[in-house]
Amino acid sequence: MSSSPSTIRVAIIGGGLAGAAVLRGLLRYPHIAVDMYESRPAFREEGPGLTFTTSTQAILAAIDPDLEQCLDRAGALVTTTETIVAAGPHAGRKIEINGLPPGSEKNVGRQAFLTEMLKGMPPRMMHPGTRIASVTELPSGQGLSLTFADGSQKKYDIVIGADGTHGFTRQLVLGADESLVKPRSTGFWGLPIKVPLQRAQQAMGSQYLDPADPKHIGWIGDGTGMLHDLLDNGAEVQLLVWGKADDDVEEEDGPSGPSWAKLFTPDEFQEMFASNRMPVCQGMVDLILSVYTVQVAAICQLEHKPAPTYVTKNICLIGDSAHSMLPFQGASVAIAIEEALVLSTLLGRLPSKTAIPAALQAFDRACRPRAEQAARSSAETGLLVTGRAPGVGLDADLLQQHLRRNWEFLLDVDVDAIRATANAIMDQLLGAGATTWA
């Protein structure tokens, strides 16, 4: 790390997609020295595959043009999204969503994409298997001190918290208020699996699993939702199923926090999807039960209470550390990538270390309202795609009306306008005539 007094030292805590996107965005600025820390032995990104809209692909390219090639090297497939009602009187009816024309999205595996994002990064910046014991503010505006598990320390000017829903950096910004720091149960659960293409075709048929015409298809059931798409250049099929209890009572949180698993017997699991009339949906259930033969362990879906801020004067939260949200629109990753572009742009404009609080405040004011709206939209979409939205249910016309509205919010993004707003806020906070790095 450079020892120049003008160098702005940045520590990214968390080695997932959000942290990697910020890292790639900051590398273009010579006045910024950055390190990425991950407590696990390797940089990992767990969970279902990702679907990137053309808007999100453009934002990736704005962060770093090579990120588009990273998608391709990670086995991304150009795909077409379809949403179909699977239960009720409108079973088989397609839901048309504006802004998602055929071939407008790319599907990619999370870990494969993260691996490509971090490939070729300077080894001196990358610190897997490094546990941080504490982050302490130094006196007289000298920045922050990171103390590691082995007792060593390093000084930084900015810490970016990207350690996810269960990370510790959220507490650095929001304090010890558990209602703000700890995620809460939502009553939703989800279960992802991946199977080889041929095996999936045997169970589900090949109509919707054609590598020559990749599709990302969601099925709306009565209290459940299902989704399947192709990954790894079409070699694998990803299956995801979700559920929502009939009542709105959230899962009971235990003394150590919300439960992570929702358990079903195979018979209970099969019964939940019995009303889905489409054979392809029953094929998905069969595939899942071929993996979970004794007990089905679904993952409880958690979210954070909205945070009053994402920043202090020298610490910033991004991605799930700032705003974990339900997965039904893929909004969490999309918003995190938007934030990575805005944050790296603002830090790239820093005229000096004294301007850091203004840059972080500008990030918070420009990005937090959109993230909060995305969280609300994701929760509403979760009810819609599981047939549980009040007054909507499985009515295809009402589903289409509401889903179009929710998707328009995500798709109709002008990230240049967001960046311009953030830059204007930063300049206002710094005062007229503030200089920036060339």
Side-chain angles (χ1 to χ4, degrees), residues 212-253:
D213 183 22
K215 292 183 178 180
H216 175 90
I217 301 181
W219 301 89
I220 300 175
D222 185 8
T224 62
M226 312 182 84
L227 182 148
H228 57 82
D229 53 23
L230 301 179
L231 297 175
D232 192 21
N233 287 317
E236 289 190 307
V237 176
Q238 170 181 245
L239 312 177
L240 294 96
V241 295
W242 295 289
K244 179 73 171 74
D246 287 331
D247 54 41
D248 291 325
V249 177
E250 295 180 353
E251 296 291 321
E252 187 73 20
D253 289 354

Side-chain angles (χ1 to χ4, degrees), residues 24-269:
R24 296 290 295 246
L26 292 177
L27 286 179
R28 68 176 64 187
Y29 300 109
H31 65 288
I32 294 178
V34 59
D35 285 320
M36 175 182 276
Y37 294 99
E38 171 58 54
S39 60
R40 293 176 292 185
F43 295 104
R44 298 287 302 169
E45 182 67 39
E46 298 172 351
L50 303 168
T51 300
F52 290 128
T53 65
T54 51
S55 298
T56 305
Q57 293 171 50
I59 295 168
L60 283 171
I63 293 172
D64 182 343
D66 185 57
L67 289 178
E68 286 188 297
Q69 284 69 53
C70 287
L71 276 175
D72 295 334
R73 292 195 296 267
L77 285 170
V78 175
T79 190
T80 297
T81 290
E82 294 182 3
T83 303
I84 305 171
V85 180
H90 296 163
R93 170 99 169 263
K94 285 187 180 181
I95 304 298
E96 302 294 338
I97 299 175
N98 297 333
L100 292 174
S104 64
E105 299 178 294
K106 285 187 176 181
N107 284 355
V108 69
R110 285 176 181 257
Q111 183 59 44
F113 185 44
L114 177 64
T115 298
E116 291 298 332
M117 291 178 79
L118 297 180
K119 191 175 290 183
M121 295 296 99
R124 69 180 185 278
M125 299 180 178
M126 313 304 290
H127 306 280
T130 305
R131 190 171 68 83
I132 297 170
S134 65
V135 178
T136 307
E137 185 172 349
L138 297 171
S140 305
Q142 297 180 58
L144 298 156
S145 175
L146 272 62
T147 301
F148 302 94
D150 63 1
S152 62
Q153 295 181 323
K154 280 189 179 181
K155 294 181 181 180
Y156 292 92
D157 302 300
I158 302 170
V159 166
I160 298 173
D163 51 348
T165 302
H166 301 284
F168 77 93
T169 58
R170 188 173 172 91
Q171 188 170 348
L172 299 177
V173 172
L174 301 176
D177 185 344
E178 289 193 359
S179 69
L180 289 173
V181 172
K182 288 190 175 182
R184 55 189 179 179
S185 301
T186 64
F188 285 99
W189 53 264
L191 177 63
I193 69 168
K194 289 193 293 185
V195 297
L197 174 63
Q198 186 175 5
R199 183 179 170 195
Q201 288 175 329
Q202 289 171 350
M204 300 164 56
S206 58
Q207 178 183 358
Y208 300 107
L209 298 175
D210 182 0
D213 183 22
K215 292 183 178 180
H216 175 90
I217 301 181
W219 301 89
I220 300 175
D222 185 8
T224 62
M226 312 182 84
L227 182 148
H228 57 82
D229 53 23
L230 301 179
L231 297 175
D232 192 21
N233 287 317
E236 289 190 307
V237 176
Q238 170 181 245
L239 312 177
L240 294 96
V241 295
W242 295 289
K244 179 73 171 74
D246 287 331
D247 54 41
D248 291 325
V249 177
E250 295 180 353
E251 296 291 321
E252 187 73 20
D253 289 354
S256 62
S259 172
W260 73 269
K262 182 76 171 176
L263 304 177
F264 306 97
T265 67
D267 287 344
E268 289 171 338
F269 188 80

Side-chain angles (χ1 to χ4, degrees), residues 349 351 426-436:
R349 299 180 70 241
M426 178 177 171
D427 290 344
Q428 181 181 24
L429 291 170
L430 289 174
T435 58
T436 60

